[in-house]
Amino acid sequence: MASHAVVREAAAIDLSRVAKGIMFVAAGALTGATGYAVARVLLGLTPPTYEIRQVAIAVHLATVLPAIPLGLWVLLSRKGDATHRMLGRTWAVLMVVGAGSALFIRHLNHGQFSWLHLFVPVVFFTLYRAIRQARAGQIAAHKVNMWRLYALALLLPGMFAFLPGRLLWQWLLV
């Protein structure tokens, strides 16, 4: 007999269709814009810059780019089964590596942390808390924290990364 039962959605909060739609559109726009910007760099369509050769930036993009659609899939798909747990763990690893790699992206701000680095401890703390809640059977709290983590520590900083003058903005439009 399996030790993990499928968790029923009724115990947890649920976002409205409008909120899910907004998240879907935001995730699609962010994934598309980031993918396009990275493709422009890889195809040599952007001016060569020092940042293109930075391992921390490559690791960061290689983890957060797949985390955007994967996270949304995990949040919107069936919960509690083996697939949910496996994809959720994969997403958590992507988030930890992405946040950790961000700590090494400081040369863009003259060797200092930028305000975007405030999201790093948010990722670590919220992910730790959400995992503890899931293991303790506090599924409603787990779900709330995972939606918050996705929106406030992945989508929001991703959108801020496209502000004029930032690296992804330059890769996208220059």
Side-chain angles (χ1 to χ4, degrees):
M1 181 185 278
S3 62
H4 295 283
V6 174
V7 176
R8 299 287 175 233
E9 296 281 336
I13 63 115
D14 201 12
L15 295 181
S16 70
R17 286 182 186 218
V18 172
K20 286 179 181 178
I22 290 169
M23 294 287 249
F24 188 79
V25 169
L30 186 57
T31 301
T34 306
Y36 181 72
V38 169
R40 289 193 61 205
V41 170
L42 295 175
L43 293 171
L45 300 175
T46 61
T49 62
Y50 171 77
E51 293 84 15
I52 292 172
R53 296 182 301 276
Q54 294 304 303
V55 173
I57 292 174
V59 169
H60 188 69
L61 289 172
T63 55
V64 298
L65 190 54
I68 299 167
L70 177 61
L72 191 61
W73 176 266
V74 172
L75 288 168
L76 295 176
S77 64
R78 184 177 174 168
K79 310 293 185 283
D81 60 8
T83 301
H84 173 79
R85 289 190 303 274
M86 189 251 327
L87 293 176
R89 287 178 182 130
T90 302
W91 185 77
V93 168
L94 289 172
M95 290 298 290
V96 167
V97 173
S101 66
L103 294 173
F104 296 96
I105 305 173
R106 295 197 321 244
H107 61 281
L108 299 175
N109 202 37
H110 308 292
Q112 303 297 316
F113 290 114
S114 75
W115 59 272
L116 279 173
H117 286 94
L118 293 173
F119 291 102
V120 172
V122 171
V123 169
F124 291 140
F125 175 75
T126 308
L127 192 55
Y128 170 77
R129 189 172 177 192
I131 291 168
R132 283 193 51 181
Q133 290 165 335
R135 289 183 176 171
Q138 300 169 344
I139 302 306
H142 169 75
K143 188 172 182 180
V144 167
N145 276 303
M146 295 311 285
W147 274 108
R148 284 181 184 158
L149 182 63
Y150 185 79
L152 301 177
L154 184 61
L155 293 184
L156 188 62
M159 290 177 191
F160 285 148
F162 280 97
L163 289 174
R166 301 215 39 99
L167 184 62
L168 285 177
W169 171 267
Q170 293 172 11
W171 287 0
L172 185 66
L173 298 174
V174 175

